[in-house]
Amino acid sequence: MVQLAPAAAMDEVTFRSDTVLSDVHLYTPNHRHLMVRLNSVGQPVFLSQFKLLWSQDSWTDSGAKGGNHGDVHTKEPPSAETGSTGSPPRSGHTQEEDDILGEEAQGSPHDIIRIEHTMATPLEDVGKQVWRGALLLADYILFRQDLFRGCTALELGAGTGLASIIAATVARTVYCTDVGADLLAMCQRNIALNSHLAAAGGGVVKVKELDWLKDNLCTDPEVPFSWSQEEISDLYDHTTVLFAAEVFYDDDLTDAVFKTLSRLAHRLKNACTAILSVEKRLNFTLRHLDVTCEAYDHFRSCLRALEQLADGKLRFVVEPVEASFPQLLVYERIQQLELWKIIAEPVT
């Protein structure tokens, strides 16, 4: 049983120097997360269900009606791990537990996203958690079907793969990228768990390694999640959308993300749109002896630098996205969550 603080305490979260990154972002009172296994480094892995507020039968280009829900609702499916076929085997529950889980997991399978994730990690493994920014980005993808429908898209720092899974409900091909074999394997399991969502829309999700600190994509067939030459050609010839959520927590990595985004945009055959999701977090720093938003401030400075970039080939137009679109996923849409749109187009 996971029990967290009341909603009022969650509205203004302050991270201090001794704060442990944990399930503070997954505010889920009176709901349980089903622990299904330990990963390769001994971290508990949980399986949660995220409710979708739409029906594929009645889904239209204008989007579904949704309200602003104050907290994340998750329900536990009665399954454990996902095998190579994508079918989760039964776990060792009692009949009573299975009955309870069955009662909680109401609704069509197309109304639920099932995600394996961790609750608490060291900083280098934050991608294994589910962050509110990923839910906001997924919401925007559902709202902007016109931007994603039939396209080839790439997610930078996909983490658990939630946003890529949502994108595949409308996109033709989604390259779900990150680094780390354990994290990418978790991505692959989540995609298998939700393969029915992508299949219903005709989309394909491909999990691939993309290291922001390297200029080229890995093509070594001996390396898990490497790229084939055909996939690289498809990426550069057809991609029109890039997206990323909650990858702006470290200044050096933020610099690397923007460098990668610029490099990809210059290599793509078509003009592209990038959608970035970020949460403005308050941190107490010894240097300032005050609460600041240094990571967010650095993110904004990188946006300004990208917009001012002049190389004679591309220009980048940066626009904030008003987060007033309908909420189609159930989570806490707090005021610190932001979306930014970057349009990369040839200089004429």
Side-chain angles (χ1 to χ4, degrees):
M1 178 75 73
V2 176
Q3 196 74 32
L4 298 182
M10 301 298 298
D11 292 339
E12 298 289 343
V13 178
T14 300
F15 290 85
R16 298 179 175 83
S17 59
D18 60 348
T19 298
V20 176
L21 290 172
S22 65
D23 51 358
V24 67
H25 58 287
L26 274 174
Y27 170 53
T28 55
N30 304 319
H31 288 77
R32 293 171 300 158
H33 296 281
L34 182 66
M35 194 184 105
V36 292
R37 62 186 176 86
L38 296 177
N39 63 19
S40 63
V41 293
Q43 297 164 343
V45 176
F46 296 81
L47 187 57
S48 297
Q49 293 193 8
F50 295 83
K51 178 71 174 176
L52 282 161
L53 304 176
W54 56 275
S55 167
Q56 286 192 329
D57 294 335
S58 60
W59 199 18
T60 65
D61 286 348
S62 60
K65 293 182 180 179
N68 192 8
H69 297 261
D71 46 28
V72 180
H73 292 264
T74 56
K75 304 173 185 176
E76 300 79 22
S79 59
E81 297 179 52
T82 299
S84 59
T85 62
S87 299
R90 299 289 293 175
S91 60
H93 301 138
T94 65
Q95 183 61 50
E96 180 183 5
E97 287 172 323
D98 284 344
D99 289 344
I100 293 172
L101 293 171
E103 289 174 3
E104 289 183 351
Q106 298 294 324
S108 164
H110 289 87
D111 296 335
I112 297 292
I113 304 171
R114 302 163 68 193
I115 296 292
E116 280 196 3
H117 62 94
T118 58
M119 287 290 192
T121 64
L123 188 61
E124 61 268 21
D125 283 336
V126 293
K128 295 176 183 176
Q129 300 184 52
V130 178
W131 298 94
R132 274 188 295 238
L135 293 161
L136 179 69
L137 178 58
D139 241 351
Y140 185 72
I141 293 169
L142 290 170
F143 175 67
R144 284 299 310 271
Q145 297 174 65
D146 58 313
L147 178 62
F148 285 83
R149 179 172 289 113
C151 79
T152 297
L154 180 143
E155 181 175 11
L156 294 165
T160 62
L162 187 148
S164 284
I165 290 166
I166 291 294
T169 63
V170 282
R172 179 180 66 88
T173 303
V174 178
Y175 290 102
C176 175
T177 74
D178 215 311
V179 292
D182 195 53
L183 176 58
L184 292 171
M186 177 182 280
C187 257
Q188 191 70 70
R189 281 190 294 273
N190 284 332
I191 289 161
L193 282 170
N194 298 280
S195 59
H196 57 286
L197 293 175
V204 175
V205 186
K206 297 186 177 184
V207 178
K208 296 295 171 184
E209 177 186 295
L210 197 160
D211 191 335
W212 307 330
L213 302 178
K214 297 179 180 178
D215 289 340
N216 297 310
L217 303 174
C218 178
T219 58
D220 184 350
E222 299 298 319
V223 177
F225 306 105
S226 61
W227 298 72
S228 69
Q229 291 299 332
E230 291 77 13
E231 288 166 338
I232 293 175
S233 295
D234 178 56
L235 173 72
Y236 291 144
D237 289 348
H238 300 112
T239 299
T240 56
V241 180
L242 307 173
F243 57 105
E246 297 280 41
V247 296
F248 309 105
Y249 54 89
D250 174 88
D251 289 358
D252 291 338
L253 287 179
T254 296
D255 291 339
V257 173
F258 276 92
K259 181 180 178 182
T260 300
L261 193 154
S262 176
R263 182 172 65 248
L264 287 171
H266 278 84
R267 292 179 181 178
L268 297 181
K269 182 177 179 180
N270 302 299
C272 72
T273 299
I275 307 298
L276 308 179
S277 174
V278 62
E279 182 173 338
K280 184 177 181 180
R281 291 188 174 86
L282 305 176
N283 296 271
F284 179 83
T285 62
L286 292 176
R287 183 174 60 174
H288 296 95
L289 293 178
D290 197 3
V291 174
T292 66
C293 302
E294 286 190 306
Y296 173 80
D297 292 341
H298 187 74
F299 164 75
R300 291 295 302 271
S301 70
C302 288
L303 280 178
R304 289 190 293 270
L306 186 67
E307 194 168 30
Q308 295 166 6
L309 184 66
D311 60 8
K313 297 179 181 179
L314 287 180
R315 72 185 187 104
F316 295 89
V317 179
V318 178
E319 303 173 356
V321 177
E322 180 66 35
S324 58
F325 47 90
Q327 187 163 336
L328 303 177
L329 277 159
V330 181
Y331 64 101
E332 183 186 15
R333 189 184 284 185
I334 63 173
Q335 63 181 2
Q336 289 83 9
L337 289 173
E338 294 184 3
L339 278 175
W340 292 83
K341 179 168 66 174
I342 302 170
I343 301 173
E345 53 190 15
V347 174
T348 56

